[in-house]
Amino acid sequence: MEIKSAEFVTSVADKNFYKSSYPEIAFVGRSNVGKSSLINFISRRKNLAKTSSTPGKTKLINYFLLNKSFFLVDLPGYGYAQVSKQEKTNWGDFLEDYLKTSKNLKCVYLLLDVRRTPTDQDEQMIKFLYFNRIPMKIVITKTDTLSRSQVANQLFMITGKLGVMKSDVIVTSSLDKKGQVELLSSIESFVG
Ligand code: GTP
Ligand code: MG
């Protein structure tokens, strides 16, 4: 699949999720894992989604229309320590509500930083998706930060810890522009 057009459509901050007849693909993961960067990378647009080295940048649900045929949905990151407990609960509810009620949601891509051990929240998200029968794929991000053999070791650790199959894992680097073809063909299989 080639991305011919990408446009920001809307942001929502409350539970009035955007309704359309287009299929939706959502990106989730802890704050700072590289969700917004990955959306820019696969859209081949530098500043479509706002990125930041400060965690917690994306606090809204952002909808991007690609090829005028499907939405990429940038979800707020979880696990950002610098927010109050109340705020965390609100974000969690907001996220879960979106995931449970979006009728056109075709697949959730859960992003994991190659350097990090998956957190309890990552595991909770995987269980949540599984119990709600929402298709999920894992995207490993920032592989440019490690050597090839370190990446292989981390992949072994991550898939083992999460109990996921290698075939459900897509390995990427937005910086080095790696994994675009694999990610786009996976997305195509859900929206095509
Ligand atoms: P929140 O919106 O806070 O949830 O973060 P996010 O998951 O959208 O992350 P974002 O794309 O804003 O990236 C966070 C930081 O990671 C930024 O400083 C990016 O430059 C950096 N980053 C993203 N992708 C890559 C990558 O492939 N390689 C490297 N080395 N850094 C990356
Ligand atoms: Mg973001």
Side-chain angles (χ1 to χ4, degrees):
M1 176 168 55
E2 205 189 317
I3 300 301
K4 296 190 181 108
S5 70
E7 57 201 291
F8 169 73
V9 173
T10 191
S11 295
V12 303
D14 57 25
K15 292 178 178 182
N16 297 314
F17 301 117
Y18 186 69
K19 295 223 166 40
S20 80
S21 52
Y22 295 118
E24 292 173 20
I25 296 293
F27 284 22
V28 296
R30 60 179 289 142
S31 191
N32 218 41
V33 70
K35 296 177 292 297
S36 300
S37 302
L38 197 67
I39 286 178
N40 290 336
F41 166 45
I42 62 173
S43 322
R44 288 197 265 135
R45 290 272 303 272
K46 261 207 170 117
N47 295 311
L48 187 65
K50 289 196 183 72
T51 64
S52 168
S53 53
T54 317
K57 180 75 191 172
T58 311
K59 293 192 179 180
L60 307 164
I61 294 184
N62 295 310
Y63 293 77
F64 303 95
L65 183 61
L66 272 75
N67 287 355
K68 303 199 187 300
S69 64
F70 69 94
F71 277 105
L72 285 185
V73 182
D74 191 6
L75 297 173
Y78 50 75
Y80 175 42
Q82 255 58 37
V83 298
S84 68
K85 236 187 172 156
Q86 183 58 47
E87 229 185 323
K88 269 185 198 164
T89 312
N90 292 345
W91 282 8
D93 288 352
F94 185 41
L95 254 180
E96 290 193 3
D97 253 43
Y98 166 80
L99 295 169
K100 275 187 184 164
T101 60
S102 298
K103 298 230 162 30
N104 294 328
L105 180 61
K106 301 298 177 198
C107 184
V108 171
Y109 289 83
L110 181 111
L111 277 63
L112 297 170
D113 187 323
V114 71
R115 295 165 295 182
R116 289 172 175 271
T117 303
T119 64
D120 289 348
Q121 276 170 309
D122 292 322
E123 296 197 49
Q124 278 165 24
M125 179 55 74
I126 291 171
K127 284 193 186 124
F128 174 86
L129 295 170
Y130 181 79
F131 284 118
N132 287 284
R133 298 165 190 274
I134 301 168
M136 181 204 67
K137 300 275 180 200
I138 303 279
V139 175
I140 304 294
T141 64
K142 309 192 188 184
T143 55
D144 57 276
T145 59
L146 296 180
S147 71
R148 268 183 138 190
S149 64
Q150 286 172 321
V151 168
N153 286 340
Q154 288 296 99
L155 280 177
F156 184 76
M157 179 278 289
I158 291 168
T159 52
K161 182 161 171 51
L162 299 177
V164 296
M165 290 183 295
K166 280 244 171 67
S167 57
D168 282 333
V169 177
I170 300 162
V171 180
T172 69
S173 163
S174 299
L175 197 83
D176 277 359
K177 309 211 180 304
K178 288 217 172 99
Q180 187 180 42
V181 172
E182 293 80 358
L183 186 55
L184 283 176
S185 71
S186 171
I187 291 173
E188 191 175 20
S189 72
F190 290 102
V191 302

